[in-house]
Amino acid sequence: MDIFKILEQQNIFLTDCQKKAVTSREKAVLLLAVPGAGKTTTLAARAAWLMAEGLCAPDRMLNLTFNREAAADMQRRFDRLFGHVWPTDQQPRFSTIHSFCYRLLGDYAADRGTEVPKLLAEGQQRSMVLNIYREKTGEYLTEEGLDQLINAIGLCANLMYDQQECRRLEREVHGLGDVRQAYKTYKLEHHLMDFDDMLSYALQVLRRQPDRAARLRLQYPYLHLDEAQDTSLLQHSIIEALDPANVFFVGDEDQSIYGFRGAFPDALLEFEKRHRGGVVLKMEDNFRSADSIVEGANAFVAGNRHRYPKNMHPFRSKVGGIHTLVVKEADRQYAKVAEELKNLPQNQTAAVLYRGGLTAAAMADVLLRQNIPFALRAKRYPLLQDGVVRDVLSMLRLALDPSDGQAFLQVYYKLGCYINREMAQRVVGAKPHDLWEYLAEEVDFPGKSTARISFLQSFFRRMRGWTAQRAIDRVVYELEYIDRVEKRGESGYAGELAAQRLAVLHSIAGGCGGIAEFADRLAELDEQIDRSADPQAAVTLSTVHSAKGREFDRVWIIDLIEGVFPSGQAVEENLTGNDMSMEEEARMFYVAATRAKDSLTLCTVEEFCGYELLSSRFVPRILQSGQAGESQEILELGLRRGVRLSHKTFGFGTVEDIDITRGIFAVRFAKLGVKTFSVASMQQGDIFRIL
């Protein structure tokens, strides 16, 4: 049976590289597949070829992948290509690693006459961790905070951290130590396990029972692993404990973007060491994207250091290419993108991709107002759980009701009242009809500024008559909200994140009248977005993570702001010499860019309410046409690494890095961390002073 003729009858013609991968008889193969290389078809053809050649029966083939969606896609692809040759009951099965481990534990328990611990569903795990956190800390935890906590617990398991590494992570994630231990104890006491426990228990069984591992090795002489770059160290260890006679990994370390879940792309980089006689093959042809997109993305990802050298080749001619959309005010980008989506040709698909889920609210709001149908992928954090959104909403509530104690406690420390938590609670506990009057007339405390309190009282009274957009403007200009967030933030990029979130709110406010209408809109928008989303719509809103594995005719990547995408944490770590986070951010951008078939548009902004925002470093890197700053000009300004200077707002700092190509420099401040500035700001003598 000629597998390739079967495919050619369906107008599928594999390249020589794909055929080599399909027919490889090496014992250990890593197939590196660039985006759009046709890896799913190649892997399905590989399984079919083994069956056609009589090398492996379908039930003796272990075909594993990253998640259930990918496994289902592989199953559908095999059936579509070869279902007329092998009926469903004679086809190989494609499943997740978790599914395999669950069967393994079931067999182990049956042999011992015991039962497998009950598996916690995702919702049950979230509820359990949330309750433990509240019990241990007495604090409120947002959806985003809960995700961070659960991911940290999973990270310890999936990267097989020892006690010292777990303690280091516990110092970074509030409450992790106590919650992790209590969660572990509760599961043991109630005979429960989560998905990470399932993997850990399976590895223990394989290591403690070599006879069982040997039987499985005989049962499954061929193991195929898809999306190998997203597989954790724990999962790779399970495969190595199985030690099958033949392993065939398919993946691409350039597309590894799940580090927060414990993805371990080093297993690909170390493949030849970890697997005896390992061979690395490369599929470098991109059948998806226009040549300019392929060439730009290829040059872009080559800037990462921790990777295999690859040279992605385009198969398609130029169609639309890479474009930029530069908008002066951050909140206007959403409307600009919507205007372009209005002109989307029939029978074409489009995606708007972003780094963080909150952006979806602004984009969806604009599309709803303009009656543009959209699909929504990925989990979105509810608007009202975001810290900046809660602050703004609390200010609106204080304007509408000056006796609202809950709103006052949310924002008092960001308003320049100069009172501590105990004092604030005392004021609220008195239940005055006007908190500001009570604070001005009835309460005395060190450093009290009657003038400031009077100003705040006047400010919130005036807010009642403002439009929603004017209210946000005044929060920035008069209350100096971004500056206060920046000074209190642990990251030097807290201001950029606050500005981006305020831009989301400012965009939503544009469709409202007064502040009461705006507050109502915020309260109802999440539900309306979820209710209105249409899975069949031509336009998709998605985080980069959820767009992985998908493709669209046209793609817009928005909020390309330094400190947002890439994240501020990655920027700061990169300046200290740790480039791992920045490389993962770059891989995310690479994945986003390579979702585009015909056209890729990069959206950058210049400011929000006068707060200067720098374009993401990824934009000139992929365009390869960034305007180079003159090094002589920078030297004449006195900018060198290690130079001490003072900023009129941020105080004293030290120059840590200078990017001549982009004309920017980074300064580390004692309290704020690292901030990035344009050379143009240095030329304004009233902002900086060299010491």
Side-chain angles (χ1 to χ4, degrees):
M1 185 186 303
D2 191 330
I3 293 299
F4 302 118
K5 283 188 177 179
I6 292 173
L7 291 174
E8 288 168 6
Q9 289 168 1
Q10 302 173 63
N11 292 318
I12 299 173
F13 300 89
L14 300 189
T15 65
D16 290 343
C17 182
Q18 288 174 312
K19 289 179 179 179
K20 182 178 180 180
V22 168
T23 60
S24 173
R25 292 177 180 266
E26 303 289 346
K27 298 296 184 182
V29 176
L30 169 60
L31 177 61
L32 297 172
V34 302
K39 72 176 181 66
T40 305
T41 296
T42 302
L43 192 52
R46 163 81 176 172
W49 180 80
L50 288 173
M51 293 164 60
E53 293 295 310
L55 296 174
C56 187
D59 60 349
R60 303 196 66 204
M61 209 181 294
L62 195 55
N63 301 295
L64 304 176
T65 191
F66 180 58
N67 56 38
R68 281 177 291 184
E69 185 178 359
D73 183 47
M74 281 295 308
Q75 199 74 58
R76 285 191 297 268
R77 185 70 59 90
F78 188 94
D79 188 61
R80 186 165 72 247
L81 296 175
F82 304 109
H84 62 290
V85 179
W86 291 285
T88 303
D89 62 349
Q90 295 177 26
Q91 293 178 11
R93 298 271 71 86
F94 298 87
S95 65
T96 64
I97 297 177
H98 287 95
S99 177
F100 165 75
C101 289
Y102 191 75
R103 294 196 304 271
L104 168 61
L105 293 179
D107 292 342
Y108 171 75
D111 290 345
R112 291 171 58 90
T114 60
E115 293 184 358
V116 177
K118 184 178 179 181
L119 181 61
L120 289 169
E122 182 183 0
Q124 293 173 310
Q125 181 195 34
R126 295 181 69 81
S127 177
M128 190 179 299
V129 172
L130 181 63
N131 290 337
I132 292 173
Y133 180 86
R134 287 174 177 169
E135 178 185 321
K136 293 294 180 181
T137 68
E139 297 176 4
Y140 173 82
L141 190 63
T142 65
E143 285 288 311
E144 188 172 7
L146 180 57
D147 274 352
Q148 183 187 35
L149 194 56
I150 289 176
N151 286 336
I153 293 171
L155 207 61
C156 291
N158 279 284
L159 290 182
M160 304 174 71
Y161 278 173
D162 58 26
Q163 289 187 354
Q164 183 177 353
E165 290 169 318
C166 288
R167 282 195 293 269
R168 177 188 55 77
L169 188 60
E170 288 166 2
R171 290 193 292 269
E172 298 174 5
V173 180
H174 177 61
L176 175 59
D178 290 341
V179 172
R180 180 170 166 267
Q181 185 56 50
Y183 175 56
K184 180 179 179 181
T185 300
Y186 185 91
K187 287 183 295 181
L188 289 173
E189 290 176 348
H190 294 81
H191 201 54
L192 300 170
M193 67 177 178
D194 59 26
F195 285 95
D196 296 327
D197 295 327
M198 184 196 305
L199 298 175
S200 298
Y201 293 157
L203 180 59
Q204 289 177 26
V205 169
L206 291 172
R207 286 180 171 176
R208 293 175 182 176
Q209 294 195 342
D211 289 347
R212 185 179 299 275
R215 290 199 301 273
L216 287 168
R217 195 173 303 124
L218 289 173
Q219 183 179 349
Y220 299 112
Y222 283 86
L223 183 146
H224 294 147
L225 177 66
D226 189 23
E227 302 289 2
Q229 76 281 345
D230 295 327
T231 307
S232 71
L233 175 60
L234 175 56
Q235 292 168 330
H236 279 290
S237 298
I238 290 169
I239 292 171
E240 289 169 12
L242 277 173
D243 193 23
N246 302 272
V247 294
F248 189 92
F249 288 5
V250 182
D252 180 11
E253 80 286 356
D254 287 333
Q255 298 183 71
S256 180
I257 61 174
Y258 289 99
F260 65 94
R261 290 183 184 171
F264 191 67
D266 283 0
L268 276 64
L269 298 173
E270 301 166 356
F271 183 81
E272 291 166 292
K273 295 180 181 178
R274 300 173 76 97
H275 298 274
R276 295 182 299 276
V279 173
V280 177
L281 304 177
K282 299 177 184 179
M283 293 200 317
E284 299 172 297
D285 296 314
N286 181 302
F287 300 98
R288 173 188 299 153
S289 304
D291 58 355
S292 55
I293 296 174
V294 172
E295 290 161 4
N298 184 62
F300 174 88
V301 80
N304 276 6
R305 295 191 304 136
H306 304 280
R307 63 187 296 268
Y308 283 101
K310 292 188 286 292
N311 190 19
M312 183 164 58
H313 308 291
F315 246 60
R316 299 181 59 208
S317 61
K318 184 173 181 178
V319 180
I322 304 177
H323 314 278
T324 57
L325 175 62
V326 182
V327 182
K328 183 173 179 58
E329 280 286 341
D331 61 309
R332 285 291 302 155
Q333 68 175 319
Y334 311 118
K336 287 282 189 182
V337 172
E339 289 172 14
E340 296 188 1
L341 288 170
K342 270 187 175 180
N343 299 317
L344 183 70
Q346 277 193 328
N347 302 320
Q348 283 212 335
T349 58
V352 182
L353 306 182
Y354 34 83
R355 175 72 173 79
L358 192 70
T359 299
M363 202 64 237
D365 178 70
V366 172
L367 297 179
L368 285 169
R369 281 192 258 131
Q370 299 194 23
N371 295 314
I372 300 175
F374 62 90
L376 188 66
R377 282 184 66 83
K379 174 181 179 178
R380 284 188 313 103
Y381 296 120
L383 263 174
L384 302 186
Q385 289 206 5
D386 179 77
V388 172
V389 177
R390 291 205 310 273
D391 283 352
V392 171
L393 191 57
S394 294
M395 293 178 196
L396 302 180
R397 287 165 49 196
L398 270 176
L400 296 170
D401 179 7
S403 70
D404 192 328
Q406 185 179 2
F408 179 76
L409 289 175
Q410 172 69 29
V411 294
Y412 73 92
Y413 57 95
K414 296 176 183 174
L415 301 177
C417 298
Y418 305 108
I419 62 175
N420 58 29
R421 179 86 179 169
E422 182 182 353
M423 181 66 69
Q425 290 174 330
R426 222 171 81 199
V427 171
V428 170
K431 298 183 178 179
H433 71 282
D434 188 316
L435 288 158
W436 305 113
E437 283 185 7
Y438 185 81
L439 197 57
E441 298 173 6
E442 304 295 333
V443 181
D444 193 24
F445 55 90
K448 177 178 178 179
S449 172
T450 303
R452 180 65 181 176
I453 294 170
S454 296
F455 161 74
L456 290 170
Q457 183 177 30
S458 169
F459 178 88
F460 285 109
R461 282 177 178 171
R462 286 182 286 129
M463 185 187 278
R464 296 173 197 169
W466 292 338
T467 64
Q469 281 195 327
R470 178 172 172 76
I472 295 173
D473 291 341
R474 293 299 94 195
V475 164
V476 175
Y477 286 120
E478 293 192 53
L479 295 187
E480 300 175 319
Y481 175 79
I482 295 178
D483 294 332
R484 294 180 185 280
V485 168
E486 196 165 43
K487 289 176 181 177
R488 295 183 63 89
E490 295 180 3
S491 164
Y493 285 84
E496 280 77 2
L497 283 172
Q500 186 268 333
R501 282 157 170 73
L502 286 169
V504 167
L505 294 179
H506 203 268
S507 175
I508 296 169
C512 304
I515 63 173
E517 182 185 347
F518 178 50
D520 290 341
R521 179 63 173 166
L522 292 180
E524 70 181 12
L525 188 57
D526 282 318
E527 182 181 346
Q528 185 177 357
I529 290 172
D530 291 336
R531 186 174 64 246
S532 303
D534 176 8
Q536 305 305 316
V539 175
T540 296
L541 306 182
S542 176
T543 62
V544 176
H545 286 98
S546 292
K548 192 169 181 293
R550 307 257 303 190
E551 60 181 37
F552 309 89
D553 295 311
R554 303 187 178 196
V555 167
W556 283 259
I557 308 177
I558 61 178
D559 282 336
L560 285 171
I561 302 166
E562 193 78 353
V564 176
F565 194 1
S567 70
Q569 179 183 349
V571 174
E572 292 186 339
E573 289 181 6
N574 186 243
L575 287 170
T576 63
N578 180 0
D579 61 358
M580 299 307 292
S581 293
M582 183 58 73
E583 290 213 352
E584 176 146 335
E585 294 283 319
R587 293 195 295 266
M588 276 190 272
F589 183 86
Y590 174 71
V591 166
T594 52
R595 300 310 93 197
K597 295 167 66 177
D598 299 339
S599 174
L600 171 65
T601 302
L602 311 174
C603 304
T604 67
V605 298
E606 296 179 350
E607 65 176 53
F608 176 73
C609 288
Y611 186 89
E612 182 183 5
L613 296 166
L614 285 175
S615 170
S616 167
R617 66 183 64 196
F618 295 155
V619 176
R621 179 169 156 182
I622 194 171
L623 293 174
Q624 297 181 301
S625 61
Q627 295 297 316
E630 293 292 337
S631 58
Q632 184 61 36
E633 175 189 37
I634 291 177
L635 292 174
E636 287 174 358
L637 289 168
L639 280 176
R640 293 177 178 83
R641 288 182 179 85
V643 165
R644 290 274 294 163
L645 45 70
S646 67
H647 187 280
K648 72 173 185 178
T649 302
F650 305 140
F652 299 107
T654 303
V655 176
E656 283 213 351
D657 194 36
I658 303 171
D659 189 331
I660 294 174
T661 303
R662 300 173 63 214
I664 63 174
F665 64 100
V667 180
R668 178 172 291 279
F669 296 96
K671 293 183 179 179
L672 297 179
V674 177
K675 293 287 297 175
T676 305
F677 303 92
S678 65
V679 173
S681 65
M682 188 69 189
Q683 293 168 326
Q684 301 173 27
D686 60 332
I687 296 179
F688 282 103
R689 182 168 61 88
I690 299 290
L691 300 177

